[in-house]
Amino acid sequence: MHIVFVHFHFLFNNQFCEIYNNNFDNSSIKISIIQRSNKNFTEGNRYYIKDEFNHELGWWQNPDIMNEYIAKLNPDMVYIFGLNLPLHFRWLKHHISSHTIVIAQHCGEDFWIQKNLWLQQFGLRVVNGFVFTSQKDAITWKKCAAILDSQPVFKLNEFKNKMINIYNRLLNIKMTSE
């Protein structure tokens, strides 16, 4: 199993890294970390990718270089930090295998309001599962339909501890719905 953790934000807070700092005793799990950067380089399993955009991506900017690099790694699961770039999930889906599971972690963002909410809803529809610090944090996202009731929401600690089981469950759901 190959999991790719993706940071579309140029700089990220180290607290979001805790999920892949677990010691994976299972040698069948390969972890790769993709991070936007001001230059291309690799440090072990961390890949820093320079694209044509400034530090912070706008919701309308499509970092194809990142998406192509993620696809080249051929992951079983892509785990993206942040819900504030919803169209990026759709753009990435054009590059990765149809069998790849996409997970999105809430990192404190707010849902978009009024006329832009439909864009967020549209972008997040392709996500197979969401990770929130608590189920309570997901309530407003479900209430405004940014997340559908049919899209599973996991607590961060639950996801960290049961990642392989959750992956298998989401893959099963995905295969039976196609």
Side-chain angles (χ1 to χ4, degrees), residues 2 24 31 37 70 131-132 137:
H2 186 191
F24 288 100
I31 302 289
S37 179
I70 294 164
V131 175
F132 281 78
D137 294 336

Side-chain angles (χ1 to χ4, degrees), residues 1-175:
M1 178 176 177
H2 186 191
I3 303 170
V4 174
F5 292 94
V6 179
H7 296 277
F8 280 116
H9 295 283
F10 204 83
L11 302 172
F12 60 94
N13 185 331
N14 286 335
Q15 78 179 32
F16 301 138
C17 303
E18 70 181 67
I19 194 162
Y20 51 75
N21 285 336
N22 285 353
N23 293 325
F24 288 100
D25 296 329
N26 189 337
S27 62
S28 65
I29 298 176
K30 179 181 177 184
I31 302 289
S32 298
I33 302 158
I34 307 290
Q35 170 69 54
R36 289 185 67 242
S37 179
N38 60 352
K39 60 183 177 178
N40 291 316
F41 67 99
T42 302
E43 270 181 4
N45 67 339
R46 294 176 186 255
Y47 304 90
Y48 295 86
I49 309 297
K50 180 177 178 3
D51 58 35
E52 67 273 26
F53 300 110
N54 291 328
H55 288 57
E56 283 300 315
L57 284 173
W59 64 266
W60 64 91
Q61 295 173 316
N62 182 2
D64 267 335
I65 293 169
M66 287 272 295
N67 294 335
E68 290 167 3
Y69 200 91
I70 294 164
K72 185 172 81 170
L73 294 174
N74 194 27
D76 297 299
M77 180 189 300
V78 175
Y79 190 106
I80 300 174
F81 293 89
L83 305 180
N84 62 339
L85 296 172
L87 295 179
H88 292 70
F89 293 95
R90 284 213 173 257
W91 291 327
L92 177 61
K93 288 290 273 188
H94 292 290
H95 294 273
I96 59 177
S97 165
S98 62
H99 299 295
T100 301
I101 297 296
V102 176
I103 301 293
Q105 180 179 331
H106 179 257
C107 298
E109 309 82 13
D110 289 325
F111 58 88
W112 295 356
I113 56 172
Q114 298 170 356
K115 65 180 180 179
N116 292 330
L117 177 60
W118 70 272
L119 269 175
Q120 195 172 40
Q121 293 166 333
F122 173 75
L124 295 178
R125 293 293 186 264
V126 300
V127 176
N128 300 103
F130 294 89
V131 175
F132 281 78
T133 303
S134 72
Q135 291 286 343
K136 181 183 165 198
D137 294 336
I139 292 172
T140 55
W141 288 80
K142 285 186 170 193
K143 189 173 181 178
C144 73
I147 296 174
L148 299 175
D149 286 332
S150 61
Q151 292 174 291
V153 173
F154 305 98
K155 290 182 356 185
L156 181 60
N157 288 337
E158 172 192 15
F159 192 86
K160 287 191 309 190
N161 297 329
K162 300 178 181 177
M163 193 178 302
I164 294 174
N165 293 340
I166 290 171
Y167 166 79
N168 288 328
R169 179 176 141 200
L170 293 174
L171 186 61
N172 187 37
I173 291 168
K174 186 175 191 147
M175 294 303 168

